[in-house]
Amino acid sequence: MRGFTPSALVGARRNAGWSQADLARLSDVGVATIRRWEKGTASPQVDVLARVAAVLEVPISDFVNIPVSERFPGDWRVLLGLTQPQLGARAGVRTAVVGSIERGETALSDNVAERLSSALDISIAELRDAHQRARSRPPGMPA
């Protein structure tokens, strides 16, 4: 996951006064998964990280830091704790379209831009800027 900061998760967990096992149990995540995330050897799935953030009562943005000027469409989705299917359902857009927009593989129509920006609670201009960054990113760079 772009921008995920393992040390921020460690800090939030410790600030709560919890062990890795406590956090795993309370968020219904395997303790080995929490350990891998905190070590930086694995990247979280957005929906699972959302559960952890909810249990810790902190926003996902405490763990995922990507400056607005560098965000791709998928980064906006991650900060809300949504999977592509969840965003698609919220916006009334097929999951495949969400994925192709996030990867910058297809043009962003006015209709889809309006639906996605509303579902992401960002302006159409912010979404269009993020989409353009995804479309113009260097080869091999994940979106």
Side-chain angles (χ1 to χ4, degrees), residues 20 26 32 56 67 76 83 91 100 108 113 132 136:
Q20 290 175 333
L26 293 169
L56 288 168
W76 288 103
T83 62
S100 67
L108 181 57
Q132 185 54 44
S136 62

Side-chain angles (χ1 to χ4, degrees), residues 1-78:
M1 173 182 299
R2 281 174 33 94
F4 176 68
T5 308
S7 61
L9 176 58
V10 172
R13 177 181 56 75
R14 288 182 178 163
N15 191 44
W18 296 347
S19 67
Q20 290 175 333
D22 290 332
L23 179 57
R25 177 178 49 82
L26 293 169
S27 60
D28 195 27
V29 176
V31 70
T33 297
I34 299 294
R35 284 187 188 121
R36 287 192 303 270
W37 291 358
E38 288 188 357
K39 287 182 182 179
T41 59
S43 183
Q45 292 176 248
V46 65
D47 51 338
V48 180
L49 183 59
R51 282 201 320 260
V52 168
V55 165
L56 288 168
E57 298 180 348
V58 299
I60 287 180
S61 61
D62 280 11
F63 311 129
V64 179
N65 185 12
I66 300 171
V68 172
S69 63
E70 297 175 19
R71 289 183 188 163
F72 296 143
D75 299 327
W76 288 103
R77 173 181 55 77
V78 165

Side-chain angles (χ1 to χ4, degrees), residues 104-120:
E105 296 171 347
T106 189
L108 181 57
S109 72
D110 290 343
N111 180 42
V112 172
E114 186 176 321
R115 289 170 178 244
L116 289 176
S117 66
S118 177
L120 292 167

